[in-house]
Amino acid sequence: MAAVALELGDRPTLHRCLTALRPAAGQLAGAGSGLLTAGPVDDWLRAIGEAVVTP
């Protein structure tokens, strides 16, 4: 959801993503098996934070 919200510049969804992802800071995003990953959550938090701050 965060990737699409970033593409679209959907600020309300980006704020919801920040709220949902903050507890997982320092972890890898993905399936519990480790076979699928969306990368470090901190990278997503940083990208979303920059998008929300940038007008």
Side-chain angles (χ1 to χ4, degrees):
M1 180 181 352
V4 173
L6 283 166
E7 277 290 319
L8 297 175
D10 183 345
R11 287 175 174 260
T13 301
L14 289 171
H15 283 286
R16 286 193 303 273
C17 289
L18 275 176
T19 300
L21 288 173
R22 278 189 182 124
Q27 300 179 26
L28 287 177
S33 67
L35 293 176
L36 299 174
T37 181
V41 172
D42 291 345
D43 290 351
W44 287 104
L45 289 171
R46 189 176 313 103
I48 294 168
E50 290 171 0
V52 170
V53 171
T54 305

